[in-house]
Amino acid sequence: MLKQTEGSHAVAEAVALCRPEVICAYPISPQTHIVEALGEMVKSGELANCEFINVESEFAAMSVAIGASAAGARAYTATASQGLLFMAEAVFNASGLGLPIVMTVANRAIGAPINIWNDHSDTMSQRDCGWIQLFAEDNQEALDLHIQAFRLGEELSLPVMVCMDGFILTHAYERVDLPTASQVDAYLPPYLPRQILDPAEPVSIGAMVGPEAFMEVRYLAHAKQMQALGLIPGYAEEFRSVFGRDSGGLVRAYRAEDAETIVVALGSVLGTIKDTIDEMRDQGAKIGALGITCFRPWPLAAVRAALAGAKRVVVLEKSLAVGLGGIVSNNVRTALATQDTPVHTVIAGLGGRTITRDSLRKAFAQAFAGRLEPLSFLDLDHAAVDRVLAREREVRRSGPIAEALLRERGVPGARVG
Amino acid sequence: MSFQPVKFYQTGTFTVGNRLLPDAERSVQANMRRTNSLNSGHRACQGCGEALGARYAIDAAMNATGNRLVAANATGCLEVFSTPYPETSWQIPWIHSLFGNTAAVATGIAAALKVKAKSDVRVIAQGGDGGTTDIGFGCLSGMFERNDDVLYICYDNEAYMNTGVQRSSATPPAARTATTMAVGSEPGNPFGQGKNLPAIALAHDIAYVATATVAELRDLEAKVTRAMEFRGARYIHIFVPCPLGWGHASHDTIRIARLAKETGLFPVFEAENGEIVSVSKIRHRLPVEEYLRPQKRFAHLFSPQPRAQVIAHLQAIADRNIRKYGLCEENAQ
Ligand SMILES: Cc1ncc(C[n+]2csc(CCOP(=O)(O)OP(=O)(O)O)c2C)c(N)n1
Ligand code: SF4
Ligand SMILES: [Mg+2]
């Protein structure tokens, strides 16, 4: 059914169709609308057979999900940013215990300085936590990925994070195709746990493991993620046959067949990138894009194959490994380890900074001209940064960093673009 | 009802699990068919009060629920000594997730059981004092406040034992721990700090709150059994001496626990629906010194020179407990 709706609502409806049995809610922007909508469905009875629990923190949200999942229930929660970090210990624990919880992360920057807008710092900080991480390009895909996430997670007994750009997707009203309950039921079988807390068959879950077996346990976690690489394309294929559209998969190329320059990115910025590529193609530039839908497990072979013909790769990423540079680009470099294709890191959109077609076109043109630095920051106000650095050299008590910058820039946000 | 006076061999205690009693009056531990939920062979120190407390409590809970029980366990001695991979002492479905989230994990289990229409299966969360009063406090308070259907049991050995006896907010004043050293002008843990978790639990207005010690097996079992008659959030705080951390002889665990109660330092009571309904009276009131002396964690109060003032301060705390909870007959109204 086609519907004009908010991204968060679309996701909530998809999650509801997956028949979750325990949902934990803790507010943090921009994730709140998702759990609010689910809470209303539970309260009104529209979503039956489900416990909606208002917890006291994200750490508790994930912990309640852990308990529920271990007791055999399909468990779901959502968070973002500070919330994801606050639950980090439990996030690792959920994957270590092999519990197929599904969590939406409405991607948002991490403070300080506190910032509620979109970038990927939150989920990137958890990239090695053992969860599968899927990134949605638009609201339709966000909706669809949740249905696939339950299927995949439960098959492998691994938790899955569905990452969608905060505000840009969560708060955008767009047309989405909402599946029917029977479609979802046909695609997603009931949850059959591999382990369960059951008095009829008592097991101990979460025992202490020493050096004699810890390596093996971790290896198995890796092996399961490698299995996911094999399963994801098939599940996307099956999804297409049931729902009639392409969603999910490992990576998705755009006008990349003969492209000399390929732009790699995750999430909603792919839309802007594709528009820019169309414009540049019209002017004869051989440029294409590669969208990464599955970031963990890292689809090494798929990325390598997709980038094989490129003369240069530009990775546009919404997160920063402070002291190093790119995170996604480092993963891309692993895929290109045997080739000497230059990989440029362009850090963009941090803390919600708008990524414009104009800026993208300039950056890509620089790449064509061989003038793009290995690491650059899209639309960085170099002068402002330099003034702060100069001031810090001169004045010992130079004050709070963020405030100093804001003083430099005047009205925040007024100079976007 | 016929009345048959019973002669206990261990006079002056309530610890006897007595097999001389009629079946119905025997303790769960005295029953040959007890579940041994925390089975033998675990790695606790000799004389571990926590191992004893957990065994009593969980067997009693199993007995009360017809063996329909699931437990979530915090990181700590109980978790570590009971489940060194690939062995486990637990004969019940049991999960260890983290140090600070046990109450929340139990909430999740209870929620799952509810949607699965398995409400006959009951949920226990358990942890040490550190996992309860400090790092797990937020999750515990949340579980209480939502009135989730969980019995939380705290095994209070008054410090972080598993990591080598560091101070927790349940460590008593003057006690020496690895982080409240017995040096300086005021050795040991400072006065005027710490949390009274049973009182905090009561303040949440939950259905059942009780304290117990491993010295009174029948009382402990009765409280666990009673707790299982309620739905919603419940809390039992069990005083469990730790020979390693407290520096007392392994065979003195029960005696030390009894002394804590008999001096008034650890009030044993039971509250239902927010009101104290029973208090274990002190039978032979003793000065706190009797309790302090056998424990090396208080050795600095007695040598090189006695610290009479500090001991008096601790005595004042015990006296206040006695007045506040009416622990002695003469204080009862
Ligand atoms: C988040 C976190 N912080 C610290 C620890 C280290 N740690 C493990 S057990 C423990 C002490 C447990 O003390 P308590 O809860 O009182 O239980 P006990 O061992 O005394 O029975 C500590 C500090 C941990 N496992 N996790
Ligand atoms: S250190 Fe204390 S609590 Fe831990 S096992 Fe030994 S006696 Fe028991
Ligand atoms: Mg302790």
Side-chain angles (χ1 to χ4, degrees):
Chain A
M1 184 187 65
L2 292 179
K3 189 173 176 183
Q4 181 78 10
T5 191
E6 196 199 31
S8 296
H9 273 82
V11 166
E13 300 223 28
V15 170
L17 287 170
C18 293
R19 305 185 190 280
E21 294 170 302
V22 175
I23 295 172
C24 318
Y26 193 81
I28 185 167
S29 297
Q31 152 278 158
T32 37
H33 292 183
I34 303 173
V35 287
E36 286 166 8
L38 282 163
E40 193 173 336
M41 288 185 234
V42 173
K43 196 108 203 275
S44 69
E46 189 187 327
L47 174 51
N49 227 18
C50 180
E51 286 289 300
F52 182 82
I53 303 172
N54 280 299
V55 288
E56 72 285 355
S57 73
E58 288 87 356
F59 179 62
M62 185 47 61
S63 302
V64 169
I66 285 170
S69 186
R74 187 172 278 166
Y76 170 83
T77 190
T79 191
S81 181
Q82 315 296 136
L84 183 63
L85 293 200
F86 200 79
M87 66 165 66
E89 193 193 11
V91 169
F92 274 72
N93 193 253
S95 63
L97 293 175
L99 299 171
I101 298 157
V102 170
M103 171 163 68
T104 312
V105 178
N107 288 112
R108 164 182 155 179
I110 287 172
I114 190 163
N115 173 301
I116 63 165
W117 292 278
N118 166 250
D119 69 31
H120 292 166
S121 307
D122 49 7
T123 42
M124 284 300 158
S125 79
Q126 301 300 303
R127 65 189 179 277
D128 300 325
C129 70
W131 284 54
I132 289 169
Q133 290 186 325
L134 308 175
F135 280 77
E137 187 177 328
D138 54 28
N139 286 352
Q140 183 68 58
E141 190 167 51
L143 181 168
D144 294 344
L145 284 178
H146 282 85
I147 302 167
Q148 298 187 24
F150 280 107
R151 174 85 188 269
L152 178 67
E154 288 171 10
E155 172 56 29
L156 292 170
S157 215
L158 271 189
V160 185
M161 228 179 257
V162 180
C163 312
M164 65 188 291
D165 286 318
F167 293 113
I168 298 172
L169 294 184
T170 54
H171 288 54
Y173 277 74
E174 272 189 349
R175 193 185 72 171
V176 291
D177 191 352
L178 279 175
T180 62
S182 56
Q183 278 176 314
V184 177
D185 290 344
Y187 181 80
L188 177 65
Y191 173 33
L192 288 179
R194 286 180 187 266
Q195 52 181 348
I196 186 168
L197 294 164
D198 178 5
E201 235 180 289
V203 288
S204 297
I205 299 177
M208 186 168 197
V209 173
E212 69 281 10
F214 197 82
M215 283 278 282
E216 286 70 19
V217 174
R218 296 314 296 158
Y219 178 83
L220 285 170
H222 180 66
K224 276 207 210 175
Q225 288 234 348
M226 293 301 106
Q227 285 176 25
L229 282 181
L231 290 176
I232 289 169
Y235 284 164
E237 192 53 42
E238 204 181 313
F239 190 88
R240 188 157 59 109
S241 69
V242 176
F243 299 86
R245 60 179 170 270
D246 278 324
S247 261
L250 297 171
V251 298
R252 207 171 306 133
Y254 182 76
R255 302 187 81 168
E257 317 76 42
D258 62 337
E260 288 173 3
T261 301
I262 297 185
V263 183
V264 178
L266 291 69
S268 64
V269 74
L270 279 161
T272 322
I273 291 173
K274 287 176 185 174
D275 287 348
T276 312
I277 286 173
D278 288 346
E279 287 171 13
M280 295 179 78
R281 278 269 175 190
D282 289 347
Q283 286 149 21
K286 289 191 168 174
I287 184 167
L290 182 71
I292 310 284
T293 310
C294 172
F295 184 68
R296 281 292 179 275
W298 176 244
L300 190 105
V303 172
R304 177 177 296 157
L307 299 179
K311 288 204 177 123
R312 66 188 74 80
V313 173
V314 178
V315 182
L316 192 94
E317 40 187 319
K318 290 187 176 183
S319 57
L320 170 64
V322 178
L324 171 67
I327 298 170
V328 182
S329 36
N330 258 24
N331 287 261
V332 170
R333 285 188 188 103
T334 326
L336 295 177
T338 53
Q339 282 159 259
D340 43 12
T341 319
V343 177
H344 303 269
T345 305
V346 179
I347 308 292
L350 297 188
R353 174 70 56 89
T354 306
I355 300 173
T356 63
R357 283 201 307 257
D358 202 34
S359 302
L360 287 179
R361 201 181 316 105
K362 281 181 196 147
F364 300 159
Q366 277 185 330
F368 275 111
R371 283 188 287 108
L372 188 62
E373 298 288 324
L375 171 65
S376 61
F377 295 78
L378 198 74
D379 291 335
L380 181 80
D381 186 339
H382 287 277
V385 169
D386 288 345
R387 279 195 297 274
V388 171
L389 288 173
R391 188 173 137 81
E392 283 188 357
R393 276 194 296 273
E394 280 157 27
V395 189
R396 178 68 221 167
R397 188 179 281 197
S398 49
I401 304 162
E403 284 72 3
L405 255 174
L406 286 176
R407 196 179 329 114
E408 289 288 340
R409 290 183 66 89
V411 185
R415 300 179 36 177
V416 167
Chain B
M1 202 176 85
S2 68
F3 177 74
Q4 187 190 354
V6 173
K7 184 167 170 50
F8 289 104
Y9 288 102
Q10 293 137 291
T11 49
T13 84
F14 289 139
T15 57
V16 65
N18 215 298
R19 291 187 187 148
L20 301 176
L21 287 168
D23 262 1
E25 287 170 42
R26 284 182 195 174
S27 70
V28 176
Q29 282 305 305
N31 190 331
M32 297 298 279
R33 286 188 304 279
R34 64 174 183 260
T35 46
N36 290 324
S37 306
L38 174 63
N39 218 344
S40 57
H42 56 69
R43 315 270 177 92
C45 307
Q46 193 176 38
C48 173
E50 187 165 274
L52 208 54
R55 178 190 174 85
Y56 291 172
I58 304 300
D59 277 354
M62 283 287 272
N63 186 59
T65 59
N67 302 343
R68 308 282 287 162
L69 197 69
V70 177
N73 206 128
T75 314
C77 271
L78 179 60
E79 166 260 328
V80 170
F81 73 60
S82 64
T83 57
Y85 175 89
E87 296 153 15
T88 179
S89 281
W90 296 103
Q91 308 300 302
I92 56 170
W94 179 94
I95 184 170
H96 161 248
S97 171
L98 294 169
F99 189 21
N101 71 352
T102 314
V105 171
T107 291
I109 297 169
L113 293 171
K114 191 173 169 204
V115 274
K116 299 274 180 197
K118 287 197 248 173
S119 295
D120 59 317
V121 181
R122 308 298 301 277
V123 186
I124 279 188
Q126 51 183 357
D129 50 289
T132 305
T133 67
D134 290 335
I135 200 167
F137 185 66
C139 286
L140 180 65
S141 178
M143 186 277 278
F144 283 166
E145 167 274 317
R146 290 185 303 267
N147 201 23
D148 296 328
D149 192 13
V150 173
L151 167 61
Y152 191 103
I153 300 178
C154 169
Y155 301 102
D156 181 8
N157 52 26
E158 302 191 327
Y160 292 98
M161 294 315 177
N162 189 51
T163 35
V165 199
Q166 294 84 14
R167 175 205 184 270
S168 79
S169 61
T171 301
R176 184 253 303 143
T177 68
T179 51
T180 53
M181 306 75 161
V183 296
S185 57
E186 286 168 24
N189 197 34
F191 281 81
Q193 301 184 345
K195 272 181 219 176
N196 180 343
L197 212 74
I200 295 170
L202 260 176
H204 283 78
D205 246 342
I206 56 177
Y208 188 82
V209 175
T211 65
T213 79
V214 284
E216 295 182 14
L217 164 63
R218 303 176 74 83
D219 177 68
L220 197 165
E221 287 185 348
K223 284 170 174 166
V224 172
T225 306
R226 180 72 182 136
M228 284 322 210
E229 287 167 16
F230 292 86
R231 289 281 173 171
R234 290 144 289 147
Y235 181 72
I236 299 183
H237 190 106
I238 308 178
F239 187 85
V240 294
C242 162
L244 181 131
W246 296 8
H248 63 73
S250 295
H251 59 255
D252 271 345
T253 297
I254 303 285
R255 186 166 78 92
I256 299 284
R258 189 178 314 122
L259 285 167
K261 184 222 155 194
E262 295 293 293
T263 52
L265 281 171
F266 186 81
V268 178
F269 69 90
E270 185 176 35
E272 294 184 3
N273 301 315
E275 282 179 43
I276 295 186
V277 292
S278 80
V279 166
S280 297
K281 298 289 180 191
I282 291 173
R283 287 155 25 109
H284 308 286
R285 186 170 174 180
L286 295 165
V288 293
E289 216 179 304
E290 299 272 327
Y291 167 75
L292 303 172
R293 245 183 217 287
Q295 304 181 47
K296 289 206 187 76
R297 64 175 173 156
F298 295 114
H300 54 279
L301 303 185
F302 302 99
S303 74
Q305 63 285 87
R307 292 178 184 265
Q309 260 187 322
V310 180
I311 296 171
H313 201 159
L314 288 164
Q315 184 63 54
I317 290 173
D319 294 346
R320 196 186 61 181
N321 283 341
I322 291 170
R323 282 196 306 276
K324 192 167 157 190
Y325 290 92
L327 298 177
C328 283
E329 289 301 344
E330 61 268 27
N331 286 298
Q333 337 154 0

